[in-house]
Amino acid sequence: MKGPLFYSKILLFGEYGIIKDSKGLSIPYNFYKGALKSDKVLSETAKRSNENLRRFITYLESVDTSLVTFDIESFKKHVDTGMYFDSSIPQGYGVGSSGALVAAIYDKYAHDKITVLENLTRDKLLKLKTIFSAMESFFHGKSSGLDPLNSYLSIPILINSKDNIEATGIPAQQSEGKGAVFLLDSGSVGETAPMVSIFMEKMKQEGFRNMIKNQFIKHTDACVDDFLKGDIKSLFHNTKKLSKIVLNHFKPMIPEQFHKLWKTGIETNDYYLKLCGSGGGGYILGFTQDIEKARRTLSGHKLEVVYNF
């Protein structure tokens, strides 16, 4: 059994902000992917995935049936005969490894599923997001449902607010362009749940709440608008502001060895770094107007270009 492929995603803008109703923009990243597969003899990795799916079945049996129901019998049978999620998506890297798995399970086992081919109204998108949020909470404790949504639809998603999301188009890439969005490998795995806990704890402080509302969300929203309009000058102006705010207020989410690199980017304007997902490890997202200059300043680090301006 070789299921359809589900891709990783990148939340370009909106990390943490979307929890508090900022805008967000999520795009599929086809470099990494996963699919459901079955083998008679399982490798150690496949065995772990198979056991994980078994636990996931138990969890799905407790999901509100008015929201979604699954063909649990077939799911159990397939897991018993060696099904696992065969994936190249790195776990704990902020690129949606659990999102792709959730999308694959919904696609294969959900009853009355909303398909990619139908007219995706805002109501249908919100229903899918709610279903995926309930499903993915098994992995993170609390999930927005956006990662699986992106992986399932494989199109860019614009988040206007919690209850207002839409499929969107993004400006075509300039393959010859010097500007780029890139991923920087921190070399360590990040855990979502502890990072979200730190954020929620910080939100209890009035000063932090005001900063989120008056600075962080303001520049996040501006970045989303700039990116969609293709206003590169304004985009880099706002990304620099965002990078500064994150360095000043989200230090625990930035792996320590990257604090200096983060600051260097802001001081030299060679690149600006921001969180990719919840942070704490995994990938860091970078924006540069000159990718070769960024590579030189960040020599010794692995850069993966995901989008060219």
Side-chain angles (χ1 to χ4, degrees), residues 74-227:
S74 297
F75 193 178
K76 278 182 177 161
K77 197 170 80 190
H78 293 150
V79 167
D80 287 342
T81 51
M83 186 175 75
Y84 64 100
F85 190 58
D86 182 24
S87 168
S88 66
I89 308 170
Q91 295 188 352
Y93 263 66
V95 286
S97 55
S98 59
L101 167 57
V102 165
I105 298 299
Y106 176 83
D107 181 64
K108 190 160 185 63
Y109 299 107
H111 292 133
D112 306 318
K113 67 180 185 188
I114 295 167
T115 71
V116 185
L117 300 171
E118 55 196 89
N119 177 19
L120 289 167
T121 61
R122 189 170 289 171
D123 285 348
K124 283 181 186 169
L125 284 173
L126 274 176
K127 184 169 185 197
L128 268 176
K129 182 174 173 285
T130 310
I131 290 168
F132 289 147
S133 168
M135 289 174 72
E136 202 186 26
S137 293
F138 168 73
F139 299 95
H140 294 319
K142 188 170 169 40
S143 156
S144 69
L146 271 172
D147 288 7
L149 184 66
N150 204 292
S151 191
Y152 184 63
L153 300 176
S154 214
I155 47 179
I157 304 286
L158 169 63
I159 303 105
N160 292 304
S161 66
K162 274 197 194 76
D163 305 322
N164 181 352
I165 55 173
E166 57 187 293
T168 188
I170 57 173
Q173 293 202 51
Q174 309 295 320
S175 52
E176 300 301 306
K178 282 168 72 175
V181 180
F182 61 87
L183 292 174
L184 184 63
D185 191 344
S186 74
S188 63
V189 169
E191 292 276 339
T192 300
M195 294 296 121
V196 173
S197 298
I198 292 169
F199 176 76
M200 290 311 199
E201 202 50 44
K202 280 174 166 284
M203 282 300 288
K204 291 176 183 171
Q205 305 159 18
E206 195 186 345
F208 188 81
R209 280 200 307 274
N210 289 338
M211 178 279 299
I212 290 291
K213 195 170 126 200
N214 302 323
Q215 295 175 47
F216 188 69
I217 288 180
K218 178 183 148 193
H219 293 297
T220 296
D221 288 358
C223 283
V224 171
D225 293 340
D226 292 339
F227 188 90

Side-chain angles (χ1 to χ4, degrees), residues 52-80:
N52 205 16
L53 286 178
R54 203 176 292 282
R55 286 193 294 275
F56 195 31
I57 291 172
T58 310
Y59 172 80
L60 290 181
E61 287 177 308
S62 70
V63 168
D64 182 356
T65 52
S66 67
L67 191 61
V68 62
T69 59
F70 299 92
D71 180 358
I72 296 287
E73 214 167 293
S74 297
F75 193 178
K76 278 182 177 161
K77 197 170 80 190
H78 293 150
V79 167
D80 287 342

